[in-house]
């Protein structure tokens, strides 16, 4: 499925580090895929967004969630567990994008059904390349279930 000429892909980025948000935005802006990147900076806001509560009542359900683990209020593993245990949200691919290389975090993420676990590179150029590769993989190669529009 090629999304260059079609409707934009809605991506939810859950990230509390402004520098990583900016790098991710730049990488997607330069990418080949027509996308709409929505950003929330803590786990509670992520759940509100996904459940379309409060300030996010009109939020567009994302086709991919990029989730940091180390978040204020509600941590990323709790968000992941909630999303993957809810039948209305569980089909949304969730990719962990974090600085943690802890084996425990990796194991817990997969136990909670993450679709992929990626460690953020230190170099900004490598980070941008990782996001571009992620975009290409999820939106050009992977077959995703249809969304309810």
């Amino acid at each position: 499925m090629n999304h260059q000429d079609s409707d934009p892909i809605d991506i939810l980025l859950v990230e509390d580090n402004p520098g990583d948000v900016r790098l991710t935005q730049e990488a997607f802006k330069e990418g080949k895929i027509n996308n709409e990147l929505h950003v929330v900076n803590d786990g509670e806001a992520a759940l509100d967004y996904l459940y379309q509560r409060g300030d996010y009542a009109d939020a567009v359900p994302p086709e991919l969630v990029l989730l940091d683990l180390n978040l204020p209020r509600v941590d990323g593993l709790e968000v992941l567990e909630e999303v993957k245990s809810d039948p209305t949200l569980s089909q949304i691919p969730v990719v962990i994008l974090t600085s943690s290389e802890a084996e425990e975090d990796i194991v817990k993420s997969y136990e909670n059904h993450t679709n992929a676990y990626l460690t953020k590179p230190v170099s900004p150029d490598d980070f941008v390349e990782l996001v571009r590769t992620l975009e290409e993989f999820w939106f050009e190669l992977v077959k995703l279930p249809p969304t309810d529009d």
Side-chain angles (χ1 to χ4, degrees), residues 134-146:
L134 175 93
E135 178 185 50
E136 181 180 334
F137 177 76
W138 280 107
F139 299 119
E140 290 183 15
L141 302 176
V142 170
K143 299 292 182 226
L144 297 173

Side-chain angles (χ1 to χ4, degrees), residues 36 52 77 99 114 122-123:
E36 190 70 42
Q52 297 173 303
L77 282 173
S99 55
T114 189
V122 176
S123 150

Side-chain angles (χ1 to χ4, degrees), residues 37-128:
L37 188 65
H38 309 275
V39 180
V40 295
N41 57 17
D42 67 61
E44 191 174 298
L47 292 172
D48 286 347
Y49 187 100
L50 290 164
Y51 284 112
Q52 297 173 303
R53 301 184 294 223
D55 292 344
Y56 303 103
D58 297 326
V60 176
E63 293 165 82
L64 177 69
V65 175
L66 300 178
L67 179 63
D68 189 14
L69 289 182
N70 307 310
L71 296 168
R73 298 169 85 184
V74 177
D75 75 33
L77 282 173
E78 291 175 89
V79 172
L80 176 65
E81 186 175 2
E82 174 82 18
V83 168
K84 291 303 183 177
S85 66
D86 185 312
T88 62
L89 300 176
S90 64
Q91 287 193 357
I92 300 171
V94 177
V95 174
I96 301 298
L97 184 59
T98 187
S99 55
S100 173
E101 294 184 35
E103 189 174 312
E104 179 183 3
D105 287 340
I106 297 168
V107 169
K108 283 184 178 176
S109 294
Y110 282 109
E111 284 175 350
N112 284 294
H113 309 288
T114 189
N115 295 86
Y117 190 104
L118 301 173
T119 305
K120 295 175 190 171
V122 176
S123 150
D125 288 342
D126 291 344
F127 187 92
V128 168

Side-chain angles (χ1 to χ4, degrees), residues 11-31:
I11 302 166
L12 177 61
L13 175 63
V14 187
E15 174 60 68
D16 63 323
N17 179 319
D20 288 348
V21 169
R22 187 177 42 74
L23 278 174
T24 306
Q25 288 170 326
E26 288 174 11
F28 277 117
K29 196 179 297 174
E30 295 172 16

